[in-house]
Amino acid sequence: MKPFKNIFDLYVNSSVHVALAVVALSLLSYLEYGLNADFLLLIFIFLGSITGYNFVKYAGLAKLHHRSLARNLRFIQVFSFLVFLGLIYIAFLQSRGVLLMSALLGLFTLLYAAPVLTQNRSLRDLAGIKIFIIAVVWAGVSVILPLLDHPEVSIIDKVLMLLQRALFIIVITLPFEIRDLEFDAAHLVTIPQKIGVKKTRLLGWLLLFVVLGLELLKRQFQIVNFGALAGAAFLSAYALGLANKKQTQYFAAFGVEALPIAWVLLWFSLKMSLVWIFPVLASL
């Protein structure tokens, strides 16, 4: 069991798992509008997510509860370097618009981690802003990049999806903020620090209702998309209800971060079920 656990730890700690979650949300942007997925772009997003996350976690800015990763840090550093080389190569195969938008989102990631502000602080050290930077970057990567070259998707739907994804990311980031109550400095003013764990759960559940409501406003509403979103919202609400300061090691880092992957699986399952059982509904 120990070799399996070591492999699993490397899978989680090297950011492969979270990168798959970002790719899952990006793939959803294609699926929900019946678009052909750009797999080169998805690979670009996958490699970029690993690079960005590992830079944030291991560039000398990691929190105290990440120090246990030191024994695997050398492997992760080598792995990250190879991933970065792959990212550079695949970047030459992307459009100029994708590269410009990626550079902007990458700048946010850099400012989030690097001590570029006064008193040797980064954006993550500013009061109350950390969770919103994460939401903006995830939403931008998973919505703007896939739909950038698809004018057939209305601007209204793109804006609604962007807001929807940002709110969803905020919700699934709340269990991490609850977990980190013992580690986050008081000046960060995270949501659980500000309003407490119980009200944080209530806020997250309210935001999930908003996310579902935004789906009803889209011009290209489809029952498959709404059903999969409702399932993902239910799982997210359940996970938020279970979140506390004494979480198990993998609750947030694996379970919560798997929610976007579960969303995609729900979409495929619902689509296949409707095609086989209710073919008329599948097209609605």
Side-chain angles (χ1 to χ4, degrees):
M1 290 298 293
K2 189 173 181 180
F4 174 79
K5 184 180 184 301
N6 289 337
I7 293 173
F8 183 76
D9 285 343
L10 283 173
Y11 166 74
V12 173
N13 296 333
S14 63
S15 302
V16 173
H17 184 60
V18 68
L20 289 176
V22 180
V23 169
L25 286 180
S26 304
L27 179 60
L28 270 170
S29 296
Y30 291 117
L31 296 175
E32 291 187 353
Y33 290 96
L35 304 172
N36 293 324
D38 184 343
F39 289 102
L40 284 177
L41 176 60
L42 293 178
I43 294 172
F44 177 72
I45 290 172
F46 176 72
L47 299 177
S49 298
I50 292 176
T51 300
Y53 262 88
N54 285 351
F55 171 74
V56 169
K57 289 195 292 185
Y58 304 117
L61 297 170
K63 293 182 180 296
L64 292 176
H65 57 282
H66 287 142
R67 289 181 178 175
S68 61
L69 308 180
R71 61 182 180 180
N72 292 324
L73 188 56
R74 176 60 61 184
F75 173 87
I76 292 174
Q77 287 175 331
V78 173
F79 172 72
S80 300
F81 178 71
L82 295 176
V83 167
F84 178 69
L85 292 180
L87 177 66
I88 296 299
Y89 171 77
I90 205 89
F92 285 100
L93 306 178
Q94 304 303 315
S95 68
R96 181 178 299 178
V98 166
L99 293 178
L100 289 175
M101 182 55 62
S102 298
L104 178 61
L105 295 171
L107 179 62
F108 269 101
T109 303
L110 177 64
L111 295 176
Y112 176 82
V116 294
L117 304 179
T118 58
Q119 298 179 337
N120 202 37
R121 297 190 304 168
S122 63
L123 286 182
R124 72 192 296 176
D125 295 314
L126 297 181
I129 199 173
K130 180 174 71 170
I131 194 170
F132 298 104
I133 295 176
I134 295 171
V136 167
V137 173
W138 273 62
V141 169
S142 67
V143 176
I144 296 178
L145 294 187
L147 300 182
L148 193 62
D149 297 322
H150 288 281
E152 64 269 33
V153 180
S154 69
I155 295 295
I156 292 177
D157 276 17
K158 288 178 179 178
V159 171
L160 288 173
M161 180 180 280
L162 190 66
L163 178 58
Q164 194 178 45
R165 291 287 174 80
L167 293 178
F168 179 78
I169 295 306
I170 288 175
V171 172
I172 67 173
T173 304
L174 292 177
F176 290 88
E177 294 208 332
I178 293 173
R179 178 199 67 184
D180 292 343
L181 271 172
E182 296 182 358
F183 305 101
D184 284 335
H187 73 269
L188 292 179
V189 193
T190 64
I191 292 175
Q193 286 177 334
K194 186 72 174 178
I195 65 177
V197 173
K198 290 184 178 179
K199 290 183 179 179
T200 295
R201 293 194 186 105
L202 292 174
L203 174 63
W205 293 335
L206 176 61
L207 291 179
L208 288 173
F209 277 109
V210 175
V211 169
L212 288 170
L214 291 174
E215 188 68 25
L216 300 175
L217 300 177
K218 291 181 181 179
R219 290 186 174 182
Q220 294 178 253
F221 174 84
Q222 293 188 35
I223 192 170
V224 173
N225 297 343
F226 184 81
L229 173 59
F234 174 79
L235 292 175
S236 301
Y238 183 69
L240 186 55
L242 293 177
N244 56 64
K245 292 185 289 185
K246 300 296 183 181
Q247 299 172 21
T248 61
Q249 180 181 357
Y250 302 112
F251 176 78
F254 178 77
V256 174
E257 284 185 345
L259 288 170
I261 301 172
W263 188 354
V264 171
L265 295 177
L266 284 168
W267 191 94
F268 278 112
S269 298
L270 187 56
K271 185 72 172 180
M272 292 300 104
S273 298
L274 290 178
V275 167
W276 292 335
I277 303 173
F278 302 108
V280 175
L281 288 177
S283 61
L284 295 180

